[in-house]
Amino acid sequence: MFVRFARHPVVLIAAVLGVAVPALGLVPSPPDVSGVPQASAAPAAKPVPKGKKPKKVPRFVFTFEGRGFGHGVGMSQYGAYGAARAGQRVQDIIAHYYRGTTLTVLPVTPVRVLLGTGAVSVTLSADGPWGVVAENTPLQVIRPLPPGVNLKVTRAGDGVVVSDPDGAELLKAQGPLRFAPTDAASTTVFRGVRYRGALRIIPEVATFTVVNHIDLEQYLPGVVPREMPSRWGDDAPAALQAQAIAARSYAMATKRSGGVFDMYADQRSQVYGGADAEDPRTTAAVVATAGTVVTLSGQIVTTFFFSTSGGRTENVENVFRGSPRSYLVSVDDEAFDATSPHHIWRDPKTFTDAELSHLLGIKRPVLKIKVLERGVSPRVKLIRFTSRSGAVKEMRGTEVRSLLGLRDTWFTPRRRVRTPATLRLVAARR
């Protein structure tokens, strides 16, 4: 920061006489209640005594103390677990986190889950009787395939070829192929994972896309145990049932329209592990809530869920860009969420001023931090970083969380002088 000083007669006289004049300086304002010095207009500068150097601004480390784990919107999974252990029913849990909603039962619904793209060849097998259908043939005839054998799907000009391990051609066709077990107990194996339903192999320009076509109620047993610990069913089955309802509703509310698939098999939709992820306790939760979704005014709602609230969830508009939603508002969760190991962070992250500037894309080391706006919970919405050069950068709390690897946006930055002791703290908390 450059400060323009008014021309002073003494300076002019000294310049004429060739007399040295001590440099003028700014006096820092006292720290605010958080211990971070605030920018303010400096009082009249005093000359630095001859032979003394201006006082240096110390270097700092910053600790981000906080609560919670996740985006903070919708159902806290640890909160649901605590509520279920306290005897609350699944209906009570859903009503608490998704305000003003009702439960509705859907008919059986098919979904399409993207498993892979860009493969130049695809290897498949099955653990029981199975077959393949060439979709572009006039007669959709199932061609039986040998179980327990790895078959390879490759391109042959404009066509698609299915070969056995010896390279013998079993089928050649145009367009997509659909592989599926021919009995309910069997599964198809792709990339070492077993899947129920059918696997559709779609030829692209030079590669393949693999999509799992499956009923929603067969899909969910591969999702719920990847999103919530199955062991919670031992003492809190209502928590798993709430997760099953939330996962079912989220899948239906966020399905893609058009294209060759409806949802991803990872965090872009929900984590899906196929038949290999299934657990009897989570499968029982899916069966107990079969077809049940969360609705408002006859529409399935987007049932966001996350790990740990830290004691209160957040309004959706304060985390995700968009309009408020009446069913995704901040609710008190202190009574049940405290069972989480991340309810209050036991190991908050600490960074040096230089590390912080590097991670946030600021050219000079960070000098001070000020939270400008918080949500209801109160998660950080907007925060300001000021560097030692005076440069200012304002960022959304969600962006800071991502860049610094924080668990949540419910955090408070604390500044301390950089010393050997605080540097050891930085090393210990990486």
Side-chain angles (χ1 to χ4, degrees), residues 170-206:
L170 301 180
L171 174 67
K172 185 174 182 178
Q174 299 290 322
L177 301 178
R178 188 182 299 255
F179 295 81
T182 53
D183 69 39
S186 300
T187 59
T188 305
V189 181
F190 170 61
R191 292 179 177 172
V193 178
R194 297 181 303 119
Y195 294 97
R196 302 194 187 281
L199 296 189
R200 188 173 186 236
I201 314 300
I202 306 165
E204 306 293 351
V205 176

PDB file of all heavy atoms in Angstrom, residues 170-206:
ATOM      1  N   LEU A 170     -17.877 -64.789 -30.636  1.00  0.00           N
ATOM      2  CA  LEU A 170     -19.166 -65.329 -30.216  1.00  0.00           C
ATOM      3  C   LEU A 170     -20.340 -64.563 -30.811  1.00  0.00           C
ATOM      4  O   LEU A 170     -21.423 -65.111 -30.990  1.00  0.00           O
ATOM      5  CB  LEU A 170     -19.279 -65.289 -28.688  1.00  0.00           C
ATOM      6  CG  LEU A 170     -18.215 -66.064 -27.900  1.00  0.00           C
ATOM      7  CD1 LEU A 170     -18.469 -65.928 -26.403  1.00  0.00           C
ATOM      8  CD2 LEU A 170     -18.207 -67.526 -28.314  1.00  0.00           C
ATOM      9  N   LEU A 171     -20.121 -63.270 -31.080  1.00  0.00           N
ATOM     10  CA  LEU A 171     -21.204 -62.447 -31.607  1.00  0.00           C
ATOM     11  C   LEU A 171     -20.597 -61.224 -32.275  1.00  0.00           C
ATOM     12  O   LEU A 171     -19.631 -60.643 -31.779  1.00  0.00           O
ATOM     13  CB  LEU A 171     -22.131 -61.989 -30.474  1.00  0.00           C
ATOM     14  CG  LEU A 171     -23.245 -61.007 -30.846  1.00  0.00           C
ATOM     15  CD1 LEU A 171     -24.275 -61.673 -31.750  1.00  0.00           C
ATOM     16  CD2 LEU A 171     -23.909 -60.436 -29.603  1.00  0.00           C
ATOM     17  N   LYS A 172     -21.184 -60.826 -33.409  1.00  0.00           N
ATOM     18  CA  LYS A 172     -20.814 -59.592 -34.084  1.00  0.00           C
ATOM     19  C   LYS A 172     -22.090 -58.862 -34.435  1.00  0.00           C
ATOM     20  O   LYS A 172     -23.018 -59.465 -34.997  1.00  0.00           O
ATOM     21  CB  LYS A 172     -19.982 -59.857 -35.327  1.00  0.00           C
ATOM     22  CG  LYS A 172     -19.467 -58.582 -35.990  1.00  0.00           C
ATOM     23  CD  LYS A 172     -18.518 -58.904 -37.150  1.00  0.00           C
ATOM     24  CE  LYS A 172     -17.975 -57.603 -37.755  1.00  0.00           C
ATOM     25  NZ  LYS A 172     -17.018 -57.883 -38.863  1.00  0.00           N
ATOM     26  N   ALA A 173     -22.163 -57.571 -34.090  1.00  0.00           N
ATOM     27  CA  ALA A 173     -23.408 -56.841 -34.313  1.00  0.00           C
ATOM     28  C   ALA A 173     -23.111 -55.366 -34.487  1.00  0.00           C
ATOM     29  O   ALA A 173     -21.981 -54.912 -34.285  1.00  0.00           O
ATOM     30  CB  ALA A 173     -24.361 -57.054 -33.145  1.00  0.00           C
ATOM     31  N   GLN A 174     -24.142 -54.638 -34.875  1.00  0.00           N
ATOM     32  CA  GLN A 174     -24.074 -53.181 -34.947  1.00  0.00           C
ATOM     33  C   GLN A 174     -24.750 -52.596 -33.706  1.00  0.00           C
ATOM     34  O   GLN A 174     -25.703 -53.158 -33.191  1.00  0.00           O
ATOM     35  CB  GLN A 174     -24.799 -52.679 -36.196  1.00  0.00           C
ATOM     36  CG  GLN A 174     -24.220 -53.177 -37.512  1.00  0.00           C
ATOM     37  CD  GLN A 174     -22.856 -52.568 -37.804  1.00  0.00           C
ATOM     38  OE1 GLN A 174     -22.630 -51.397 -37.517  1.00  0.00           O
ATOM     39  NE2 GLN A 174     -21.959 -53.366 -38.360  1.00  0.00           N
ATOM     40  N   GLY A 175     -24.241 -51.462 -33.260  1.00  0.00           N
ATOM     41  CA  GLY A 175     -24.930 -50.749 -32.193  1.00  0.00           C
ATOM     42  C   GLY A 175     -24.736 -51.337 -30.815  1.00  0.00           C
ATOM     43  O   GLY A 175     -23.925 -52.236 -30.593  1.00  0.00           O
ATOM     44  N   PRO A 176     -25.511 -50.852 -29.821  1.00  0.00           N
ATOM     45  CA  PRO A 176     -25.338 -51.254 -28.422  1.00  0.00           C
ATOM     46  C   PRO A 176     -25.636 -52.726 -28.190  1.00  0.00           C
ATOM     47  O   PRO A 176     -26.479 -53.335 -28.864  1.00  0.00           O
ATOM     48  CB  PRO A 176     -26.346 -50.367 -27.679  1.00  0.00           C
ATOM     49  CG  PRO A 176     -26.613 -49.214 -28.588  1.00  0.00           C
ATOM     50  CD  PRO A 176     -26.507 -49.771 -29.973  1.00  0.00           C
ATOM     51  N   LEU A 177     -24.947 -53.284 -27.171  1.00  0.00           N
ATOM     52  CA  LEU A 177     -25.203 -54.643 -26.695  1.00  0.00           C
ATOM     53  C   LEU A 177     -25.674 -54.557 -25.252  1.00  0.00           C
ATOM     54  O   LEU A 177     -25.226 -53.706 -24.487  1.00  0.00           O
ATOM     55  CB  LEU A 177     -23.933 -55.494 -26.761  1.00  0.00           C
ATOM     56  CG  LEU A 177     -23.278 -55.670 -28.131  1.00  0.00           C
ATOM     57  CD1 LEU A 177     -22.008 -56.495 -27.987  1.00  0.00           C
ATOM     58  CD2 LEU A 177     -24.233 -56.313 -29.116  1.00  0.00           C
ATOM     59  N   ARG A 178     -26.573 -55.472 -24.894  1.00  0.00           N
ATOM     60  CA  ARG A 178     -27.097 -55.503 -23.531  1.00  0.00           C
ATOM     61  C   ARG A 178     -26.822 -56.877 -22.933  1.00  0.00           C
ATOM     62  O   ARG A 178     -27.345 -57.897 -23.400  1.00  0.00           O
ATOM     63  CB  ARG A 178     -28.591 -55.206 -23.533  1.00  0.00           C
ATOM     64  CG  ARG A 178     -29.200 -55.027 -22.140  1.00  0.00           C
ATOM     65  CD  ARG A 178     -30.705 -54.783 -22.256  1.00  0.00           C
ATOM     66  NE  ARG A 178     -31.006 -53.582 -23.003  1.00  0.00           N
ATOM     67  CZ  ARG A 178     -31.422 -52.441 -22.470  1.00  0.00           C
ATOM     68  NH1 ARG A 178     -31.602 -52.360 -21.161  1.00  0.00           N
ATOM     69  NH2 ARG A 178     -31.675 -51.399 -23.217  1.00  0.00           N
ATOM     70  N   PHE A 179     -25.983 -56.907 -21.867  1.00  0.00           N
ATOM     71  CA  PHE A 179     -25.648 -58.146 -21.168  1.00  0.00           C
ATOM     72  C   PHE A 179     -26.457 -58.207 -19.879  1.00  0.00           C
ATOM     73  O   PHE A 179     -26.530 -57.220 -19.139  1.00  0.00           O
ATOM     74  CB  PHE A 179     -24.159 -58.184 -20.835  1.00  0.00           C
ATOM     75  CG  PHE A 179     -23.251 -58.244 -22.028  1.00  0.00           C
ATOM     76  CD1 PHE A 179     -22.935 -57.092 -22.748  1.00  0.00           C
ATOM     77  CD2 PHE A 179     -22.703 -59.452 -22.438  1.00  0.00           C
ATOM     78  CE1 PHE A 179     -22.082 -57.143 -23.839  1.00  0.00           C
ATOM     79  CE2 PHE A 179     -21.852 -59.517 -23.537  1.00  0.00           C
ATOM     80  CZ  PHE A 179     -21.544 -58.353 -24.249  1.00  0.00           C
ATOM     81  N   ALA A 180     -27.010 -59.380 -19.577  1.00  0.00           N
ATOM     82  CA  ALA A 180     -27.818 -59.489 -18.356  1.00  0.00           C
ATOM     83  C   ALA A 180     -27.893 -60.937 -17.897  1.00  0.00           C
ATOM     84  O   ALA A 180     -27.890 -61.867 -18.724  1.00  0.00           O
ATOM     85  CB  ALA A 180     -29.222 -58.951 -18.599  1.00  0.00           C
ATOM     86  N   PRO A 181     -27.953 -61.173 -16.577  1.00  0.00           N
ATOM     87  CA  PRO A 181     -28.186 -62.527 -16.054  1.00  0.00           C
ATOM     88  C   PRO A 181     -29.564 -63.020 -16.492  1.00  0.00           C
ATOM     89  O   PRO A 181     -30.478 -62.222 -16.726  1.00  0.00           O
ATOM     90  CB  PRO A 181     -28.125 -62.343 -14.538  1.00  0.00           C
ATOM     91  CG  PRO A 181     -27.426 -61.044 -14.321  1.00  0.00           C
ATOM     92  CD  PRO A 181     -27.778 -60.197 -15.484  1.00  0.00           C
ATOM     93  N   THR A 182     -29.702 -64.307 -16.570  1.00  0.00           N
ATOM     94  CA  THR A 182     -30.997 -64.886 -16.928  1.00  0.00           C
ATOM     95  C   THR A 182     -31.696 -65.495 -15.724  1.00  0.00           C
ATOM     96  O   THR A 182     -32.731 -66.144 -15.878  1.00  0.00           O
ATOM     97  CB  THR A 182     -30.823 -65.949 -18.031  1.00  0.00           C
ATOM     98  OG1 THR A 182     -29.844 -66.911 -17.627  1.00  0.00           O
ATOM     99  CG2 THR A 182     -30.394 -65.307 -19.339  1.00  0.00           C
ATOM    100  N   ASP A 183     -31.135 -65.310 -14.523  1.00  0.00           N
ATOM    101  CA  ASP A 183     -31.872 -65.654 -13.301  1.00  0.00           C
ATOM    102  C   ASP A 183     -31.605 -64.573 -12.258  1.00  0.00           C
ATOM    103  O   ASP A 183     -30.602 -63.857 -12.316  1.00  0.00           O
ATOM    104  CB  ASP A 183     -31.531 -67.051 -12.777  1.00  0.00           C
ATOM    105  CG  ASP A 183     -30.131 -67.193 -12.220  1.00  0.00           C
ATOM    106  OD1 ASP A 183     -29.637 -66.257 -11.549  1.00  0.00           O
ATOM    107  OD2 ASP A 183     -29.501 -68.232 -12.451  1.00  0.00           O
ATOM    108  N   ALA A 184     -32.500 -64.433 -11.304  1.00  0.00           N
ATOM    109  CA  ALA A 184     -32.474 -63.315 -10.356  1.00  0.00           C
ATOM    110  C   ALA A 184     -31.277 -63.360  -9.416  1.00  0.00           C
ATOM    111  O   ALA A 184     -30.870 -62.318  -8.886  1.00  0.00           O
ATOM    112  CB  ALA A 184     -33.769 -63.303  -9.548  1.00  0.00           C
ATOM    113  N   ALA A 185     -30.709 -64.545  -9.204  1.00  0.00           N
ATOM    114  CA  ALA A 185     -29.616 -64.660  -8.236  1.00  0.00           C
ATOM    115  C   ALA A 185     -28.256 -64.306  -8.825  1.00  0.00           C
ATOM    116  O   ALA A 185     -27.297 -64.105  -8.085  1.00  0.00           O
ATOM    117  CB  ALA A 185     -29.572 -66.082  -7.683  1.00  0.00           C
ATOM    118  N   SER A 186     -28.152 -64.206 -10.139  1.00  0.00           N
ATOM    119  CA  SER A 186     -26.857 -63.987 -10.787  1.00  0.00           C
ATOM    120  C   SER A 186     -26.556 -62.501 -10.948  1.00  0.00           C
ATOM    121  O   SER A 186     -27.455 -61.657 -10.950  1.00  0.00           O
ATOM    122  CB  SER A 186     -26.832 -64.669 -12.161  1.00  0.00           C
ATOM    123  OG  SER A 186     -27.037 -66.053 -12.034  1.00  0.00           O
ATOM    124  N   THR A 187     -25.276 -62.195 -11.108  1.00  0.00           N
ATOM    125  CA  THR A 187     -24.834 -60.821 -11.352  1.00  0.00           C
ATOM    126  C   THR A 187     -23.818 -60.816 -12.486  1.00  0.00           C
ATOM    127  O   THR A 187     -23.188 -61.832 -12.788  1.00  0.00           O
ATOM    128  CB  THR A 187     -24.198 -60.205 -10.096  1.00  0.00           C
ATOM    129  OG1 THR A 187     -23.071 -61.008  -9.701  1.00  0.00           O
ATOM    130  CG2 THR A 187     -25.187 -60.115  -8.956  1.00  0.00           C
ATOM    131  N   THR A 188     -23.649 -59.640 -13.079  1.00  0.00           N
ATOM    132  CA  THR A 188     -22.657 -59.440 -14.123  1.00  0.00           C
ATOM    133  C   THR A 188     -21.478 -58.676 -13.534  1.00  0.00           C
ATOM    134  O   THR A 188     -21.662 -57.764 -12.723  1.00  0.00           O
ATOM    135  CB  THR A 188     -23.261 -58.648 -15.297  1.00  0.00           C
ATOM    136  OG1 THR A 188     -24.435 -59.317 -15.746  1.00  0.00           O
ATOM    137  CG2 THR A 188     -22.283 -58.546 -16.456  1.00  0.00           C
ATOM    138  N   VAL A 189     -20.272 -59.045 -13.952  1.00  0.00           N
ATOM    139  CA  VAL A 189     -19.058 -58.466 -13.372  1.00  0.00           C
ATOM    140  C   VAL A 189     -18.391 -57.541 -14.385  1.00  0.00           C
ATOM    141  O   VAL A 189     -18.106 -57.932 -15.518  1.00  0.00           O
ATOM    142  CB  VAL A 189     -18.074 -59.560 -12.927  1.00  0.00           C
ATOM    143  CG1 VAL A 189     -16.822 -58.934 -12.307  1.00  0.00           C
ATOM    144  CG2 VAL A 189     -18.739 -60.512 -11.942  1.00  0.00           C
ATOM    145  N   PHE A 190     -18.137 -56.290 -13.940  1.00  0.00           N
ATOM    146  CA  PHE A 190     -17.422 -55.301 -14.754  1.00  0.00           C
ATOM    147  C   PHE A 190     -16.382 -54.632 -13.871  1.00  0.00           C
ATOM    148  O   PHE A 190     -16.702 -54.122 -12.792  1.00  0.00           O
ATOM    149  CB  PHE A 190     -18.410 -54.272 -15.311  1.00  0.00           C
ATOM    150  CG  PHE A 190     -17.766 -53.077 -15.967  1.00  0.00           C
ATOM    151  CD1 PHE A 190     -16.941 -53.235 -17.072  1.00  0.00           C
ATOM    152  CD2 PHE A 190     -17.978 -51.797 -15.466  1.00  0.00           C
ATOM    153  CE1 PHE A 190     -16.343 -52.130 -17.681  1.00  0.00           C
ATOM    154  CE2 PHE A 190     -17.391 -50.690 -16.066  1.00  0.00           C
ATOM    155  CZ  PHE A 190     -16.577 -50.851 -17.176  1.00  0.00           C
ATOM    156  N   ARG A 191     -15.125 -54.661 -14.326  1.00  0.00           N
ATOM    157  CA  ARG A 191     -14.006 -54.096 -13.565  1.00  0.00           C
ATOM    158  C   ARG A 191     -13.945 -54.640 -12.145  1.00  0.00           C
ATOM    159  O   ARG A 191     -13.690 -53.923 -11.175  1.00  0.00           O
ATOM    160  CB  ARG A 191     -14.072 -52.570 -13.551  1.00  0.00           C
ATOM    161  CG  ARG A 191     -13.814 -51.947 -14.914  1.00  0.00           C
ATOM    162  CD  ARG A 191     -13.921 -50.434 -14.875  1.00  0.00           C
ATOM    163  NE  ARG A 191     -13.599 -49.858 -16.182  1.00  0.00           N
ATOM    164  CZ  ARG A 191     -13.751 -48.579 -16.512  1.00  0.00           C
ATOM    165  NH1 ARG A 191     -14.231 -47.727 -15.603  1.00  0.00           N
ATOM    166  NH2 ARG A 191     -13.454 -48.138 -17.715  1.00  0.00           N
ATOM    167  N   GLY A 192     -14.228 -55.927 -12.011  1.00  0.00           N
ATOM    168  CA  GLY A 192     -14.117 -56.606 -10.736  1.00  0.00           C
ATOM    169  C   GLY A 192     -15.262 -56.378  -9.776  1.00  0.00           C
ATOM    170  O   GLY A 192     -15.218 -56.856  -8.637  1.00  0.00           O
ATOM    171  N   VAL A 193     -16.320 -55.675 -10.191  1.00  0.00           N
ATOM    172  CA  VAL A 193     -17.462 -55.390  -9.325  1.00  0.00           C
ATOM    173  C   VAL A 193     -18.706 -56.069  -9.900  1.00  0.00           C
ATOM    174  O   VAL A 193     -18.955 -56.016 -11.108  1.00  0.00           O
ATOM    175  CB  VAL A 193     -17.712 -53.866  -9.212  1.00  0.00           C
ATOM    176  CG1 VAL A 193     -18.930 -53.588  -8.339  1.00  0.00           C
ATOM    177  CG2 VAL A 193     -16.476 -53.176  -8.656  1.00  0.00           C
ATOM    178  N   ARG A 194     -19.488 -56.695  -9.021  1.00  0.00           N
ATOM    179  CA  ARG A 194     -20.708 -57.376  -9.449  1.00  0.00           C
ATOM    180  C   ARG A 194     -21.884 -56.391  -9.479  1.00  0.00           C
ATOM    181  O   ARG A 194     -22.037 -55.584  -8.564  1.00  0.00           O
ATOM    182  CB  ARG A 194     -21.039 -58.532  -8.503  1.00  0.00           C
ATOM    183  CG  ARG A 194     -19.976 -59.620  -8.479  1.00  0.00           C
ATOM    184  CD  ARG A 194     -20.354 -60.759  -7.547  1.00  0.00           C
ATOM    185  NE  ARG A 194     -20.583 -60.275  -6.191  1.00  0.00           N
ATOM    186  CZ  ARG A 194     -21.742 -60.384  -5.548  1.00  0.00           C
ATOM    187  NH1 ARG A 194     -22.803 -60.940  -6.132  1.00  0.00           N
ATOM    188  NH2 ARG A 194     -21.863 -59.934  -4.299  1.00  0.00           N
ATOM    189  N   TYR A 195     -22.685 -56.483 -10.534  1.00  0.00           N
ATOM    190  CA  TYR A 195     -23.847 -55.604 -10.680  1.00  0.00           C
ATOM    191  C   TYR A 195     -25.096 -56.417 -10.979  1.00  0.00           C
ATOM    192  O   TYR A 195     -25.053 -57.388 -11.749  1.00  0.00           O
ATOM    193  CB  TYR A 195     -23.625 -54.606 -11.827  1.00  0.00           C
ATOM    194  CG  TYR A 195     -22.517 -53.616 -11.546  1.00  0.00           C
ATOM    195  CD1 TYR A 195     -21.227 -53.839 -12.034  1.00  0.00           C
ATOM    196  CD2 TYR A 195     -22.753 -52.474 -10.791  1.00  0.00           C
ATOM    197  CE1 TYR A 195     -20.198 -52.943 -11.774  1.00  0.00           C
ATOM    198  CE2 TYR A 195     -21.727 -51.572 -10.523  1.00  0.00           C
ATOM    199  CZ  TYR A 195     -20.467 -51.813 -11.017  1.00  0.00           C
ATOM    200  OH  TYR A 195     -19.455 -50.926 -10.757  1.00  0.00           O
ATOM    201  N   ARG A 196     -26.184 -55.991 -10.373  1.00  0.00           N
ATOM    202  CA  ARG A 196     -27.486 -56.554 -10.715  1.00  0.00           C
ATOM    203  C   ARG A 196     -28.030 -55.809 -11.928  1.00  0.00           C
ATOM    204  O   ARG A 196     -27.493 -54.789 -12.348  1.00  0.00           O
ATOM    205  CB  ARG A 196     -28.437 -56.431  -9.521  1.00  0.00           C
ATOM    206  CG  ARG A 196     -27.903 -57.116  -8.272  1.00  0.00           C
ATOM    207  CD  ARG A 196     -28.964 -57.282  -7.211  1.00  0.00           C
ATOM    208  NE  ARG A 196     -28.367 -57.787  -5.993  1.00  0.00           N
ATOM    209  CZ  ARG A 196     -28.049 -59.070  -5.782  1.00  0.00           C
ATOM    210  NH1 ARG A 196     -28.289 -59.973  -6.729  1.00  0.00           N
ATOM    211  NH2 ARG A 196     -27.515 -59.456  -4.637  1.00  0.00           N
ATOM    212  N   GLY A 197     -29.117 -56.337 -12.494  1.00  0.00           N
ATOM    213  CA  GLY A 197     -29.690 -55.704 -13.677  1.00  0.00           C
ATOM    214  C   GLY A 197     -28.862 -56.003 -14.912  1.00  0.00           C
ATOM    215  O   GLY A 197     -28.136 -57.002 -14.983  1.00  0.00           O
ATOM    216  N   ALA A 198     -28.956 -55.132 -15.918  1.00  0.00           N
ATOM    217  CA  ALA A 198     -28.262 -55.326 -17.198  1.00  0.00           C
ATOM    218  C   ALA A 198     -27.144 -54.313 -17.349  1.00  0.00           C
ATOM    219  O   ALA A 198     -27.217 -53.199 -16.817  1.00  0.00           O
ATOM    220  CB  ALA A 198     -29.246 -55.181 -18.348  1.00  0.00           C
ATOM    221  N   LEU A 199     -26.093 -54.693 -18.076  1.00  0.00           N
ATOM    222  CA  LEU A 199     -25.027 -53.779 -18.450  1.00  0.00           C
ATOM    223  C   LEU A 199     -25.140 -53.496 -19.945  1.00  0.00           C
ATOM    224  O   LEU A 199     -25.057 -54.416 -20.767  1.00  0.00           O
ATOM    225  CB  LEU A 199     -23.655 -54.363 -18.127  1.00  0.00           C
ATOM    226  CG  LEU A 199     -23.345 -54.620 -16.650  1.00  0.00           C
ATOM    227  CD1 LEU A 199     -21.879 -54.998 -16.482  1.00  0.00           C
ATOM    228  CD2 LEU A 199     -23.665 -53.409 -15.796  1.00  0.00           C
ATOM    229  N   ARG A 200     -25.353 -52.242 -20.272  1.00  0.00           N
ATOM    230  CA  ARG A 200     -25.488 -51.839 -21.673  1.00  0.00           C
ATOM    231  C   ARG A 200     -24.149 -51.273 -22.140  1.00  0.00           C
ATOM    232  O   ARG A 200     -23.618 -50.333 -21.554  1.00  0.00           O
ATOM    233  CB  ARG A 200     -26.588 -50.791 -21.819  1.00  0.00           C
ATOM    234  CG  ARG A 200     -26.937 -50.447 -23.255  1.00  0.00           C
ATOM    235  CD  ARG A 200     -28.147 -49.527 -23.319  1.00  0.00           C
ATOM    236  NE  ARG A 200     -28.581 -49.290 -24.674  1.00  0.00           N
ATOM    237  CZ  ARG A 200     -28.708 -48.079 -25.229  1.00  0.00           C
ATOM    238  NH1 ARG A 200     -28.444 -46.989 -24.510  1.00  0.00           N
ATOM    239  NH2 ARG A 200     -29.108 -47.958 -26.484  1.00  0.00           N
ATOM    240  N   ILE A 201     -23.609 -51.853 -23.215  1.00  0.00           N
ATOM    241  CA  ILE A 201     -22.333 -51.433 -23.784  1.00  0.00           C
ATOM    242  C   ILE A 201     -22.635 -50.624 -25.035  1.00  0.00           C
ATOM    243  O   ILE A 201     -23.162 -51.161 -26.021  1.00  0.00           O
ATOM    244  CB  ILE A 201     -21.438 -52.643 -24.127  1.00  0.00           C
ATOM    245  CG1 ILE A 201     -21.419 -53.644 -22.969  1.00  0.00           C
ATOM    246  CG2 ILE A 201     -20.045 -52.185 -24.501  1.00  0.00           C
ATOM    247  CD1 ILE A 201     -20.908 -53.090 -21.674  1.00  0.00           C
ATOM    248  N   ILE A 202     -22.297 -49.334 -24.998  1.00  0.00           N
ATOM    249  CA  ILE A 202     -22.667 -48.416 -26.071  1.00  0.00           C
ATOM    250  C   ILE A 202     -21.411 -47.999 -26.833  1.00  0.00           C
ATOM    251  O   ILE A 202     -20.512 -47.363 -26.267  1.00  0.00           O
ATOM    252  CB  ILE A 202     -23.362 -47.163 -25.496  1.00  0.00           C
ATOM    253  CG1 ILE A 202     -24.541 -47.577 -24.617  1.00  0.00           C
ATOM    254  CG2 ILE A 202     -23.814 -46.229 -26.619  1.00  0.00           C
ATOM    255  CD1 ILE A 202     -25.060 -46.471 -23.736  1.00  0.00           C
ATOM    256  N   PRO A 203     -21.316 -48.344 -28.122  1.00  0.00           N
ATOM    257  CA  PRO A 203     -20.142 -47.912 -28.892  1.00  0.00           C
ATOM    258  C   PRO A 203     -20.207 -46.425 -29.211  1.00  0.00           C
ATOM    259  O   PRO A 203     -21.238 -45.920 -29.644  1.00  0.00           O
ATOM    260  CB  PRO A 203     -20.229 -48.758 -30.162  1.00  0.00           C
ATOM    261  CG  PRO A 203     -21.669 -49.114 -30.286  1.00  0.00           C
ATOM    262  CD  PRO A 203     -22.221 -49.190 -28.905  1.00  0.00           C
ATOM    263  N   GLU A 204     -19.091 -45.727 -28.947  1.00  0.00           N
ATOM    264  CA  GLU A 204     -18.971 -44.326 -29.328  1.00  0.00           C
ATOM    265  C   GLU A 204     -18.103 -44.268 -30.582  1.00  0.00           C
ATOM    266  O   GLU A 204     -18.041 -45.240 -31.327  1.00  0.00           O
ATOM    267  CB  GLU A 204     -18.372 -43.532 -28.172  1.00  0.00           C
ATOM    268  CG  GLU A 204     -19.107 -43.686 -26.845  1.00  0.00           C
ATOM    269  CD  GLU A 204     -20.514 -43.089 -26.843  1.00  0.00           C
ATOM    270  OE1 GLU A 204     -20.870 -42.396 -27.831  1.00  0.00           O
ATOM    271  OE2 GLU A 204     -21.257 -43.321 -25.869  1.00  0.00           O
ATOM    272  N   VAL A 205     -17.399 -43.174 -30.836  1.00  0.00           N
ATOM    273  CA  VAL A 205     -16.594 -43.054 -32.061  1.00  0.00           C
ATOM    274  C   VAL A 205     -15.505 -44.124 -32.102  1.00  0.00           C
ATOM    275  O   VAL A 205     -15.361 -44.841 -33.089  1.00  0.00           O
ATOM    276  CB  VAL A 205     -15.965 -41.649 -32.151  1.00  0.00           C
ATOM    277  CG1 VAL A 205     -15.043 -41.553 -33.360  1.00  0.00           C
ATOM    278  CG2 VAL A 205     -17.051 -40.583 -32.229  1.00  0.00           C
ATOM    279  N   ALA A 206     -14.732 -44.247 -31.018  1.00  0.00           N
ATOM    280  CA  ALA A 206     -13.670 -45.255 -30.984  1.00  0.00           C
ATOM    281  C   ALA A 206     -13.610 -45.967 -29.643  1.00  0.00           C
ATOM    282  O   ALA A 206     -12.708 -46.772 -29.421  1.00  0.00           O
ATOM    283  CB  ALA A 206     -12.322 -44.605 -31.296  1.00  0.00           C
TER     284      ALA A 206
END
